């Protein structure tokens, strides 16, 4: 039974939808991570071909910067999604191992630790639900909006114009039912893998971070229980920690080392994904915001750009906020240890034991995108970069 209702549900459904077997992550059964390899390869290949077609469309229309900007955001998201899925497939065993370790920790948790896991998993369910609604709404609207526009144009003007979901250089004439149907199916498959592939890997990151943060909070609770075991001597002048207390502190130190190792493993798995994501996101957000600010567009296009921008902003926030939480919880261990113990009543051997985790926690534990730290400051930096791009595009438009 999950510790929280709907815990890991978004991740489970997303991975299953794109051809992975979520049982490899959700249970300890010895199953293949990629359940339908040919289906997954077919979807990824079609997506890659469409992004190449979009890139070619941008290239041949490079003199018209408005067409270039309109197609840029989807191309950026496609590059990010394919990078995520490629890294996930290449490091699949390591992802499975990390998820399995955390699930074992939850299943073996003491009754006093379960409320912490419950609170963190409730946060994950809430954030993943909001993010999934934003992503799915964007994906549905991008496929429905052309059909609505075609119907509206036919009703108002009496003419019929085939409007494709994504502007690209297609290899056949789509101004007929057969050709348009093939284009629409191609775009649908690409949008499907783009939305659900991103959703699966992003929400998995959120779940991993929430449960690692729970480990830090449980560690602090264990140190507080160990502090309560301090026994003063009869004369009241000094105090010593008994053997049980020192054993408890040693156990806490082992948990601390293991929790830090979980963070390092998470960093190693997501470092490349985060690097590509944040390098491209400034350009992506800038192009979306610029298109949104321009007039003369239909309400359908404006709604699509707004939904897309919202989904990208939530995606960035999930990474930055969770990266900030890891750093904050790690740094707080030292201060929590210092506040929990009556240092004047401790033996020298106990003080030496406590200095080890305090020194270790002062070493900054962080999520990195290879060259930069993922925190709330990075979130602001991305939007500042996007703002600079918007200013440059506005200047170009006015000339």
């Amino acid at each position: 039974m999950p510790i929280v209702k709907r815990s890991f549900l978004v991740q489970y459904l997303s991975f299953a939808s794109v051809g992975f077997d979520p049982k490899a992550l959700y249970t300890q059964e010895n199953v293949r991570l990629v359940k339908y390899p040919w289906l997954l390869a077919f979807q990824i290949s079609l997506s890659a071909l469409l992004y190449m077609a979009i890139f070619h469309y941008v290239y041949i229309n490079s003199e018209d910067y408005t067409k270039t900007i309109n197609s840029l955001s989807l191309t950026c998201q496609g590059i990010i999604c394919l990078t995520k899925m490629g890294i996930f497939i290449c490091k699949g065993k390591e992802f499975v191992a990390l998820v399995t370790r955390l699930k074992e920790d939850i299943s073996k948790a003491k009754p006093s630790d379960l409320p912490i896991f419950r609170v963190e998993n409730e946060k994950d369910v809430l954030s993943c639900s909001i993010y999934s609604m934003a992503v799915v709404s964007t994906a549905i609207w991008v496929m429905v909006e052309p059909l609505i526009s075609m119907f509206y144009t036919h009703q108002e003007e009496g003419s019929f114009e085939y409007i494709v979901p994504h502007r690209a250089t297609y290899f056949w004439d789509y101004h007929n039912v057969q050709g348009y149907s093939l284009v629409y199916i191609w775009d649908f498959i690409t949008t499907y893998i783009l939305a659900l592939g991103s959703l699966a890997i992003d929400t998995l990151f959120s779940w991993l971070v929430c449960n690692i943060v729970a480990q830090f909070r449980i560690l602090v609770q264990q140190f507080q229980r160990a502090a309560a075991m301090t026994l003063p001597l009869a004369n009241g002048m000094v105090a010593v920690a008994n053997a049980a207390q020192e054993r408890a502190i040693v156990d806490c130190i082992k948990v601390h080392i293991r929790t830090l190792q979980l963070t390092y493993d998470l960093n190693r798995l997501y470092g490349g994904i985060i690097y590509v994501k944040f390098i491209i996101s400034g350009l992506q957000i800038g192009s979306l915001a610029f298109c949104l600010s321009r007039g003369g567009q239909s309400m359908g296009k404006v709604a699509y750009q707004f939904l897309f921008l919202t989904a990208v902003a939530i995606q960035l926030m999930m990474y930055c906020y969770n990266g900030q939480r890891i750093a904050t919880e790690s740094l707080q261990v030292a201060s929590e240890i210092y506040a929990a113990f009556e240092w004047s009543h401790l033996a020298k051997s106990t003080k030496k034991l406590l200095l080890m985790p305090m020194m270790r926690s002062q070493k900054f534990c962080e999520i990195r995108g290879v060259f930069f730290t993922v925190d709330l400051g990075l979130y602001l930096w991305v939007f500042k970069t996007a703002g600079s791009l918007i200013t440059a595009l506005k200047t170009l438009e006015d000339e």
Side-chain angles (χ1 to χ4, degrees), residues 206-221:
S206 174
W207 184 88
L208 291 170
V209 169
C210 284
N211 285 282
I212 292 175
V213 167
Q215 300 273 20
F216 279 113
R217 295 181 59 195
I218 289 170
L219 172 65
V220 169
Q221 187 172 272

Side-chain angles (χ1 to χ4, degrees), residues 124-136:
D124 173 66
V125 170
L126 177 61
S127 62
C128 290
S129 298
I130 294 172
Y131 178 53
S132 63
M133 285 189 290
V135 171
V136 173

Side-chain angles (χ1 to χ4, degrees), residues 85-98:
M85 298 191 70
I87 292 176
F88 183 80
I89 293 171
C90 292
K91 297 184 177 181
K93 292 183 179 179
E94 297 176 61
F95 276 96
V96 170
L98 182 57

Side-chain angles (χ1 to χ4, degrees), residues 92-243:
K93 292 183 179 179
E94 297 176 61
F95 276 96
V96 170
L98 182 57
V99 173
T100 301
R101 273 187 287 168
L102 287 170
K103 286 190 171 292
E104 287 177 351
D105 291 342
I106 296 173
S107 63
K108 296 177 182 178
K110 297 178 182 178
S112 59
D113 298 334
L114 287 177
I116 296 177
F117 277 117
R118 187 172 295 113
V119 168
E120 291 299 325
N121 279 271
E122 286 174 350
K123 290 180 181 178
D124 173 66
V125 170
L126 177 61
S127 62
C128 290
S129 298
I130 294 172
Y131 178 53
S132 63
M133 285 189 290
V135 171
V136 173
S137 299
T138 305
I140 292 174
W141 185 250
V142 74
M143 298 306 301
V144 171
E145 188 272 333
L147 302 180
I148 296 175
S149 297
M150 290 165 60
F151 176 78
Y152 180 79
T153 302
H154 179 68
Q155 291 294 109
E156 291 294 318
E157 302 177 6
S159 60
F160 194 85
E161 179 184 359
Y162 289 96
I163 303 174
V164 294
H166 304 126
R167 294 182 180 180
T169 304
Y170 296 102
F171 306 116
W172 58 85
D173 181 19
Y174 59 82
H175 295 92
N176 54 70
V177 175
Q178 295 82 2
Y180 185 80
S181 299
L182 288 176
V183 167
Y184 194 86
I185 293 171
W186 190 10
D187 286 3
F188 175 82
I189 293 173
T190 301
T191 303
Y192 178 87
I193 196 73
L194 174 64
L196 294 179
S198 297
L199 186 61
I201 297 171
D202 294 337
T203 55
L204 179 62
F205 177 80
S206 174
W207 184 88
L208 291 170
V209 169
C210 284
N211 285 282
I212 292 175
V213 167
Q215 300 273 20
F216 279 113
R217 295 181 59 195
I218 289 170
L219 172 65
V220 169
Q221 187 172 272
Q222 290 176 341
F223 272 116
Q224 290 171 346
R225 286 198 292 263
M229 300 169 66
T230 302
L231 300 176
L233 290 179
N235 59 15
M237 298 299 295
V238 294
V240 296
N242 59 17

Side-chain angles (χ1 to χ4, degrees), residues 295-306:
Q297 299 186 97
S298 66
M299 290 300 297
K301 288 295 182 183
V302 171
Y304 161 67
Q305 291 160 4
F306 177 77

